[in-house]
Amino acid sequence: MNDATKCDCKAICHDLNTVELCGKQWHWFLLSSAASYFAGLLILLICRHFYSRWMRSAYDRRPTNQYVAQYESPFLTPERIDKFQHTVFDHFLSVQTGSGKCTAILYFLFNVISVTLYINQSDQPLEQCEDVLNTCNWTLYADIGLNVFFLFHFLLRLIAAPNRLKFWFQMGSIVDFCTIPPCALALILERNWLGMRFMRALRFMQMGEILMTFNSTGTSIVQLLVLMLDFVSVWLFAAGFVHLVENSGDPWKADSARKDNFTYFDSVWLTMVTMSTVGYGDVYPTTGIGRSFMMVFIVCGLAMFATYTPYLYEFYRSRSPYAGRYERADSKKYVVVCGHITYNNVKSFLADFLHPDRGDRTSRVLFLDNKRPEPELTGLIKRYFLSVQYFEGSALNHNDLRRVQLEFSDAVILLCNKDSDDTKSEDAATILRAISVKNYCSKARLIMQLLNYKSKSFLQTIPNWDPINYRDENICISEFMYGLVAQSCLCPGFSTLMINLISTRSYIPGINENFDWKSDYAYGCDHEIYTVMISSDFNGMTFPEAAEICYKQLNLLMIAVENFDNSGLAINPLPDQFTIRKECLGYFIASSYKDVCRARFYCALCLNEGIEIGFKPCKCRLEAVKKKRSNVQLIPLSEHKSPNNNESGLTRVGSIDSKSSTATDVNQLRTVRHLFSQHSTKSTSVDRGTLAGAGMSSTFDPTGNYHWAPEKKFEDVDLKDHELNNHIVICAFGDDKTPISGLSSLIKPLRASNLPYKKLKVVLLLAEKDFLLKAWKELRHFPKIRVLCGSALDRSKLKRAFINRASMVVILSNYGKRMAYKDPFLLDKEPILACLNLPQVAGKSENSKPVEFIAELVNDSNVHFLDQDNEDEPDIELHLTMKFAQGSCITATALDTLMSEAYYNDEVMTLVRALIAGANVPEYDAEDEEHSGPLQVPANALCGSQCRVIRIKAEEPSLSEHIKGKAYKDVFVELLQKFNLLCLGLHRAIDWHLDVSVEHKRFVYINPPGETKIVASDYLYVIVQTSKLQPPTEVMLNKIRDTMLRKGGTPEHEQSADSKLTRQNKVDNESGKQQMLPIDESIASLAV
């Protein structure tokens, strides 16, 4: 064909109908693909045959000498061939290397470009004459360049393939043979044939492997991309094949091609409608090959559609709306809450944490949990949608912690599952979350819940755990709850008193025309504990003087103070024990933080002039500050370190920048408190024989905080025929598999060292024998413990326990098999039935008094079962019910407010622990030191004192003249001045205004108004100082040893326990006059 003919042919072929003039040659393109494929296969088989024979002969001719074999081996050996294959694979195909990643990305992108070019040219004739060398069609040059790269990539894969025969039959190889040879043949025939370029769409399936290998996205995203690309590949491939055969026609029919304009888009529409089983019928194949292909495609496409649809549905269903990332739009603080996130677990926490009374101090809450929120929790989140966000993730995954930007959070709060059957396992999970948080951000402030008090020993294993600098806090649920129960045994209503003081609630004044007790109770619930740096005008005063001024002139109730020295926290200290310094932290009970500001800006000069103390500094104080600043040398701005001061001086917010003093002073105060706590709780190892003959008055545990007794056998503490009176009955439910939880935490406050040994009440444990045997391992060293095997559901056992003579009956919940109950109301069936048994056993005679009890409940809604005569509404909150207001029930959910209290007001936790535990509680309780041995203290070792909350009757003979018939404010001042008793509130009968009141129905009335009249049926809650035997120092022990050596004392361990106890009691009686009591002995006896 000459040049003129070529030009004429080129001009003619631009017409759609001129392809027939040149003649169709598509069969040559197909033949080139088939011939190259099978020829290559034949060559591959021949090479494999000769290579295997050559390798066998080379193996037979291998030299026997190893040295000769090393230098005379053939050039081609299996080792060298494998090495060459690995080199090619590592440099060009492995995505672990940079060049391999580039090759994989280019190969995928070039396949996409090739398919795009095919779709762009699909509206042109399938075959047309075109001079490749002289054409201006850039798409043809692009296609040639792409196929050159595909050929190079094919050769690389062929060389690196471990099994070339298997590689030859792979889909990628078939695609290359169907596209590369026709492109090369186009240069020879000077024709352009779209042909089977659509098969490049099958290479889209490689995208999933590339993403998975690069690890560039999550597994769910990779799975979705793989599914979508599989669909797209099949659709484009099927559409290209239908487009080819419909426009080419059947080979055995001369004129079978479609005459209409059947585009590639029509083919895509046909395959999509067919695969989805819709089948509109507007587009259909007409050729025999097209129809045959569609019959096969219908079966395969339907199977593929049915297989992939569930995966797509599962992916979209699993796509969580809580999988986003937190964006800090403003500078407002936020906390991250992790752990056990359920509706019942966070309802009380959110109500207290986001209470409207907190105002601008409220922080946002970000929940992070590994499951989606339940419907009830979703509704709760929507209720607080402005302040609460939920994220699905795990605290153990640093990627999830990064999503919530934990490093910028103000604190991390870890909640535990309080209904767990295995407390140790639950605490282990909580501690593991704490370790993960600290590993991610060492400076994160951590506030965590624990169930078992023994788990506190693991706090030392948490990296960067620092209660001083980072203000990390742990709250042991069993320790706090059973501590409240124990103090309620000694002071009924104490649990309600403390829970209301650490909870944020609003008081709405109501009509009190009918002497409704709920209005007075709600007024007391509005009071909380606040801390503030008090004014310097209190400098030099004693605590009673400062407390009187605060109450009478500022209408504030000060209960404790703390100086910036090593004196530690002082709760209602005696005048000769504590003097307020210039920088002093005060603890107040008030209804709002604005009221506490008055103690911060108190000015004696302004008060004498009749100026009311407000919420801001007075003029004279501002003038004094200006005068002080004028005498101070100015510091350059570059050297100035601005402290994070708070204008109001409040420490209600737990962050450093909200403190009233500088961050340095606050850290100093925390350091002093921590060191003081360690000093007062430090264990001292003392040998029994060392202190013989030195005049011992009592025996304590190694910490000096609890009374200690020699170990007794379980059979020796059985009640048997003994009679009890004014004792405490503890009813428990369970067996040998039931976790003990914190039963020892209930006994410890009842055996606190600030209680005289003679005044200790006998504690009777009523439970099944298996449970008692298991619990006795922790209780065997506590004195005055008795056991009675049986169940509180058995009335005969209750009579045998003398509950009609008991001062208090404690009914504990069953910790076994809690997770097995599907109905939450059934969790409290044993405690409820036991409470209903008490009045039946005690009797209803005129002389019989009602049995006072406190029951532990799991579900708050079950409180109405405890009193059949209650008038509470069905859906009323727990703290407004009659039994809770009286102090007869307690739940673990009521302690959820401790988490927000620890965040907003971490200083108060020291005060709460001191009042609840009745002793200095160490931060870490070593399990092996719990009852390792006694600590005997000399009678003259009284150093320091401790206070407790007691309940005093208004008709008490020794105090009736100071209380009965007077106003509350007069009683407050008189008891504080004369007896150093600090009043906290009343335990008042609900019908106190009547002549005959129901004694056993009372409510806790916190800090009533000063005009409230004290009636004869009232009880007063007061803080009283009690002497405490402190562990002897090393100097004291040396003096005792010297005294023993001079007297020639014999080791006490050779004497019997009975003789030792008799001698100790004798010493107690002889040295009783030497012991100094802070208040009158008759009043002190009221505390027990």
Side-chain angles (χ1 to χ4, degrees):
M1 184 179 295
N2 54 24
D3 296 338
T5 307
K6 292 182 180 179
C7 294
D8 295 338
C9 182
K10 176 181 177 182
I12 295 174
C13 287
H14 282 289
D15 191 357
L16 297 177
N17 299 323
T18 56
V19 179
E20 289 79 3
L21 300 177
C22 301
K24 292 184 178 181
Q25 300 182 10
W26 56 266
H27 52 278
W28 292 108
F29 293 97
L30 291 178
L31 183 61
S32 65
S33 297
S36 58
Y37 181 79
F38 289 105
L41 179 61
L42 180 61
I43 295 173
L44 180 62
L45 293 175
I46 295 173
C47 292
R48 283 174 58 89
H49 173 71
F50 283 104
Y51 179 76
S52 60
R53 293 187 59 183
W54 173 76
M55 290 301 299
R56 284 196 299 268
S57 61
Y59 179 79
D60 296 337
R61 296 193 306 269
R62 71 184 186 281
T64 57
N65 191 317
Q66 184 178 1
Y67 178 81
V68 177
Q70 182 178 359
Y71 291 96
E72 296 184 5
S73 59
F75 177 76
L76 292 178
T77 60
E79 293 78 8
R80 292 179 178 179
I81 294 176
D82 291 341
K83 183 178 180 180
F84 178 71
Q85 290 178 340
H86 284 87
T87 302
V88 173
F89 178 80
D90 294 338
H91 284 79
F92 299 101
L93 299 178
S94 176
V95 294
Q96 305 300 327
T97 61
S99 58
K101 292 180 180 179
C102 294
T103 304
I105 294 175
L106 289 176
Y107 183 71
F108 179 80
L109 291 178
F110 287 170
N111 278 283
V112 174
I113 295 174
S114 179
V115 175
T116 304
L117 294 177
Y118 168 79
I119 296 175
N120 183 44
Q121 298 175 359
S122 61
D123 57 342
Q124 301 178 6
L126 294 178
E127 184 180 353
Q128 57 183 342
C129 299
E130 191 164 6
D131 189 0
V132 179
L133 299 178
N134 299 321
T135 185
C136 298
N137 188 3
W138 63 271
T139 58
L140 182 60
Y141 292 118
D143 186 65
I144 294 174
L146 292 176
N147 281 276
V148 171
F149 177 81
F150 294 149
L151 178 60
F152 173 72
H153 193 269
F154 171 79
L155 295 176
L156 291 178
R157 291 186 288 119
L158 177 63
I159 294 173
N163 189 344
R164 294 177 178 82
L165 184 61
K166 183 177 180 181
F167 165 77
W168 207 263
F169 292 97
Q170 289 181 355
M171 183 187 65
S173 302
I174 297 175
V175 171
D176 289 335
F177 276 105
C178 291
T179 56
I180 297 176
C183 181
L185 186 62
L187 299 175
I188 301 174
L189 298 179
E190 297 183 353
R191 286 172 176 263
N192 187 16
W193 183 59
L194 290 179
M196 293 181 289
R197 295 187 202 171
F198 59 84
M199 295 186 67
R200 285 289 169 190
L202 296 176
R203 300 301 292 170
F204 290 176
M205 299 180 181
Q206 186 188 11
M207 183 60 182
E209 301 177 1
I210 296 176
L211 291 177
M212 187 70 73
T213 308
F214 275 79
N215 196 21
S216 59
T217 184
T219 306
S220 58
I221 301 297
V222 171
Q223 185 179 6
L224 176 64
L225 287 175
V226 170
L227 295 178
M228 296 301 297
L229 289 174
D230 286 350
F231 273 114
V232 172
S233 300
V234 173
W235 282 335
L236 296 180
F237 168 77
F241 187 84
V242 173
H243 179 262
L244 174 64
V245 298
E246 289 296 313
N247 286 282
S248 300
D250 295 327
W252 55 86
K253 292 183 180 180
D255 195 14
S256 60
R258 297 180 68 123
K259 304 301 182 182
D260 56 345
N261 188 17
F262 189 76
T263 63
Y264 182 77
F265 178 77
D266 295 335
S267 302
V268 174
W269 170 258
L270 175 61
T271 54
M272 292 180 65
V273 170
T274 304
M275 181 178 290
S276 60
T277 69
V278 177
Y280 289 107
D282 54 343
V283 180
Y284 53 90
T286 58
T287 61
I289 299 178
R291 292 180 177 180
S292 302
F293 174 79
M294 292 305 298
M295 287 190 295
V296 178
F297 180 75
I298 288 175
V299 178
C300 297
L302 182 62
M304 182 179 179
F305 188 82
T307 303
Y308 282 16
T309 300
Y311 288 102
L312 293 174
Y313 170 76
E314 183 66 23
F315 172 79
Y316 284 109
R317 193 186 67 85
S318 62
R319 287 292 294 173
S320 174
Y322 310 101
R325 178 184 176 89
Y326 178 68
E327 300 294 340
R328 294 185 301 128
D330 50 20
S331 59
K332 189 172 183 179
K333 297 178 180 179
Y334 63 94
V335 298
V336 179
V337 182
C338 311
H340 186 70
I341 310 298
T342 60
Y343 173 78
N344 295 326
N345 212 26
V346 303
K347 179 179 63 174
S348 301
F349 166 75
L350 282 180
D352 188 81
F353 193 89
L354 301 176
H355 198 275
D357 287 354
R358 301 194 185 276
D360 297 336
R361 300 166 297 161
T362 305
S363 300
R364 285 195 179 99
V365 178
L366 306 184
F367 288 114
L368 181 64
D369 196 15
N370 55 3
K371 61 180 181 301
R372 292 188 179 183
E374 53 192 356
E376 293 179 341
L377 181 58
T378 304
L380 185 65
I381 294 173
K382 291 181 180 179
R383 188 187 311 172
Y384 300 101
F385 70 97
L386 293 177
S387 302
V388 177
Q389 285 185 254
Y390 192 96
F391 294 90
E392 189 172 357
S394 175
L396 303 178
N397 190 343
H398 286 188
N399 292 329
D400 295 332
L401 298 180
R402 192 175 296 107
R403 285 169 47 215
V404 297
Q405 302 190 40
L406 183 137
E407 62 272 18
F408 300 105
S409 64
D410 200 40
V412 180
I413 299 177
L414 300 180
L415 303 179
C416 63
N417 183 11
K418 293 183 284 292
D419 297 332
S420 176
D421 296 336
D422 192 351
T423 57
K424 293 183 178 179
S425 177
E426 182 65 25
D427 287 345
T430 303
I431 293 174
L432 188 61
R433 296 187 185 102
I435 294 175
S436 177
V437 170
K438 283 293 186 178
N439 286 336
Y440 177 77
C441 181
S442 60
K443 297 182 179 181
R445 181 187 177 192
L446 203 58
I447 304 175
M448 57 187 299
Q449 282 183 345
L450 294 176
L451 294 178
N452 199 323
Y453 76 98
K454 293 183 179 181
S455 300
K456 294 196 298 182
S457 60
F458 293 100
L459 296 178
Q460 305 176 53
T461 62
I462 299 178
N464 301 301
W465 175 269
D466 192 347
I468 301 176
N469 297 322
Y470 302 145
R471 293 179 297 157
D472 296 332
E473 187 74 46
N474 77 89
I475 296 176
C476 182
I477 298 297
S478 62
E479 195 173 63
F480 276 93
M481 184 169 63
Y482 288 134
L484 290 172
V485 173
Q487 295 296 339
S488 298
C489 295
L490 304 176
C491 177
F494 178 84
S495 60
T496 300
L497 175 69
M498 290 305 302
I499 290 176
N500 287 339
L501 285 178
I502 61 177
S503 303
T504 304
R505 300 188 176 105
S506 298
Y507 169 64
I508 302 177
I511 300 176
N512 198 17
E513 297 178 354
N514 299 325
F515 298 96
D516 186 10
W517 65 272
K518 293 184 178 180
S519 178
D520 295 339
Y521 173 71
Y523 173 83
C525 292
D526 188 44
H527 289 76
E528 304 159 41
I529 302 178
Y530 295 89
T531 58
V532 66
M533 299 299 297
I534 61 178
S535 173
S536 58
D537 287 7
F538 290 102
N539 187 21
M541 295 185 183
T542 61
F543 178 81
E545 294 173 348
E548 183 178 353
I549 292 176
C550 290
Y551 185 79
K552 295 174 62 176
Q553 300 180 1
L554 304 180
N555 196 23
L556 296 175
L557 176 56
M558 179 188 286
I559 60 176
V561 286
E562 186 173 6
N563 284 332
F564 280 87
D565 55 16
N566 59 355
S567 59
L569 177 66
I571 306 175
N572 187 25
L574 297 175
D576 57 346
Q577 289 182 344
F578 191 91
T579 303
I580 297 177
R581 305 290 175 84
K582 187 175 182 181
E583 295 291 340
C584 184
L585 185 68
Y587 294 75
F588 297 89
I589 293 179
S591 58
S592 66
Y593 70 92
K594 289 185 177 180
D595 296 337
V596 185
C597 292
R598 297 174 181 175
R600 171 68 176 173
F601 305 116
Y602 169 75
C603 180
L605 181 61
C606 294
L607 196 62
N608 293 334
E609 295 178 357
I611 302 176
E612 184 180 358
I613 305 299
F615 307 128
K616 297 181 179 180
C618 57
K619 294 183 178 180
C620 57
R621 184 172 297 277
L622 292 176
E623 292 177 358
V625 172
K626 291 180 180 179
K627 192 176 298 183
K628 182 178 179 181
R629 290 179 178 177
S630 62
N631 297 329
V632 177
Q633 185 179 0
L634 295 179
I635 302 175
L637 184 62
S638 59
E639 301 178 4
H640 180 67
K641 297 180 180 179
S642 58
N644 296 326
N645 290 338
N646 186 7
E647 295 180 359
S648 63
L650 294 175
T651 59
R652 183 65 178 168
V653 181
S655 57
I656 292 296
D657 58 353
S658 63
K659 297 297 180 184
S660 58
S661 59
T662 62
T664 305
D665 294 337
V666 172
N667 289 334
Q668 179 185 358
L669 180 60
R670 294 196 185 101
T671 305
V672 168
R673 183 187 298 117
H674 184 70
L675 295 177
F676 180 78
S677 175
Q678 286 184 341
H679 173 73
S680 61
T681 60
K682 185 178 180 181
S683 301
T684 306
S685 178
V686 184
D687 183 39
R688 296 188 181 187
T690 306
L691 302 178
M696 303 302 155
S697 62
S698 186
T699 306
F700 301 98
D701 73 328
T703 64
N705 291 323
Y706 311 107
H707 287 275
W708 187 92
E711 181 179 354
K712 293 183 180 180
K713 296 182 180 180
F714 181 80
E715 294 77 10
D716 298 337
V717 295
D718 193 0
L719 183 61
K720 297 180 181 178
D721 297 332
H722 296 81
E723 293 188 3
L724 301 177
N725 189 23
N726 195 27
H727 58 289
I728 299 173
V729 181
I730 299 178
C731 304
F733 300 93
D735 50 21
D736 57 341
K737 298 181 180 179
T738 303
I740 302 301
S741 187
L743 193 57
S744 62
S745 299
L746 175 58
I747 303 298
K748 284 180 179 180
L750 300 176
R751 295 296 176 261
S753 56
N754 60 358
L755 297 173
Y757 181 83
K758 296 181 181 180
K759 300 297 182 178
L760 296 180
K761 294 184 178 182
V762 176
V763 176
L764 176 62
L765 299 177
L766 175 58
E768 297 295 339
K769 186 175 182 179
D770 295 338
F771 180 83
L772 291 175
L773 288 173
K774 184 178 180 180
W776 187 244
K777 298 178 181 179
E778 297 183 0
L779 309 178
R780 63 186 185 274
H781 285 291
F782 289 114
K784 296 187 179 182
I785 302 292
R786 292 287 181 179
V787 297
L788 177 62
C789 298
S791 174
L793 303 180
D794 188 354
R795 296 186 179 182
S796 62
K797 295 297 182 180
L798 292 177
K799 292 181 180 179
R800 184 68 189 86
F802 303 102
I803 63 168
N804 54 338
R805 305 180 188 177
S807 62
M808 181 64 69
V809 177
V810 179
I811 301 177
L812 303 180
S813 177
N814 187 358
Y815 279 83
K817 300 179 181 179
R818 283 189 176 185
M819 305 299 293
Y821 291 102
K822 296 182 180 180
D823 190 352
F825 293 94
L826 296 178
L827 295 173
D828 299 317
K829 60 180 186 299
E830 292 95 346
I832 292 173
L833 294 178
C835 292
L836 298 179
N837 265 341
L838 296 181
Q840 303 297 330
V841 175
K844 297 184 178 180
S845 60
E846 296 182 358
N847 297 328
S848 62
K849 64 175 183 178
V851 179
E852 291 195 53
F853 68 89
I854 178 170
E856 176 195 0
L857 299 179
V858 178
N859 195 334
D860 298 353
S861 303
N862 290 332
V863 66
H864 67 277
F865 290 109
L866 299 180
D867 189 1
Q868 299 301 314
D869 300 330
N870 71 85
E871 300 178 356
D872 298 330
E873 299 177 3
D875 298 331
I876 195 172
E877 296 183 17
L878 174 66
H879 73 279
L880 296 177
T881 59
M882 180 66 233
K883 283 301 180 182
F884 184 84
Q886 181 179 352
S888 297
C889 72
I890 186 173
T891 63
T893 56
L895 299 179
D896 289 337
T897 58
L898 283 173
M899 305 301 291
S900 56
E901 191 72 18
Y903 170 73
Y904 286 111
N905 199 2
D906 57 332
E907 307 293 343
V908 175
M909 297 304 299
T910 306
L911 174 66
V912 173
R913 280 192 171 95
L915 292 177
I916 291 179
N920 292 317
V921 181
E923 184 180 5
Y924 310 116
D925 281 346
E927 184 175 356
D928 55 348
E929 296 180 1
E930 183 180 357
H931 295 300
S932 57
L935 175 63
Q936 297 173 330
V937 185
N940 58 359
L942 284 172
C943 52
S945 60
Q946 217 178 34
C947 62
R948 293 190 298 108
V949 178
I950 65 172
R951 192 181 68 161
I952 299 178
K953 194 172 184 180
E955 294 182 340
E956 181 64 33
S958 58
L959 297 175
S960 59
E961 59 178 343
H962 305 284
I963 299 178
K964 188 176 180 181
K966 294 186 177 181
Y968 180 80
K969 60 181 180 180
D970 299 330
V971 174
F972 180 91
V973 176
E974 192 167 354
L975 292 182
L976 182 63
Q977 291 178 347
K978 295 183 178 180
F979 304 101
N980 201 61
L981 297 177
L982 184 63
C983 297
L984 297 179
L986 303 176
H987 202 201
R988 169 164 285 189
I990 60 174
D991 50 359
W992 56 274
H993 55 283
L994 301 178
D995 295 335
V996 180
S997 61
V998 182
E999 286 287 332
H1000 67 280
K1001 288 190 175 182
R1002 297 180 174 272
F1003 68 95
V1004 176
Y1005 196 1
I1006 301 176
N1007 193 24
E1011 297 77 13
T1012 304
K1013 295 293 182 180
I1014 306 298
V1015 298
S1017 60
D1018 286 340
Y1019 283 86
L1020 275 75
Y1021 289 112
V1022 297
I1023 298 179
V1024 59
Q1025 283 284 347
T1026 56
S1027 299
K1028 179 178 181 294
L1029 299 177
Q1030 297 290 349
T1033 61
E1034 188 67 25
V1035 177
M1036 185 183 299
L1037 294 178
N1038 293 333
K1039 291 182 179 179
I1040 294 173
R1041 294 188 183 98
D1042 295 341
T1043 304
M1044 289 176 53
L1045 293 176
R1046 288 195 300 269
K1047 292 182 178 181
T1050 57
E1052 191 177 2
H1053 64 274
E1054 297 178 359
Q1055 304 177 10
S1056 61
D1058 296 336
S1059 62
K1060 179 179 63 177
L1061 184 59
T1062 303
R1063 179 167 51 79
Q1064 289 176 0
N1065 294 335
K1066 182 178 180 180
V1067 174
D1068 285 342
N1069 297 330
E1070 293 177 355
S1071 60
K1073 297 180 180 181
Q1074 300 176 2
Q1075 299 180 3
M1076 297 182 60
L1077 299 178
I1079 58 176
D1080 185 76
E1081 186 176 357
S1082 61
I1083 300 178
S1085 63
L1086 299 176
V1088 182

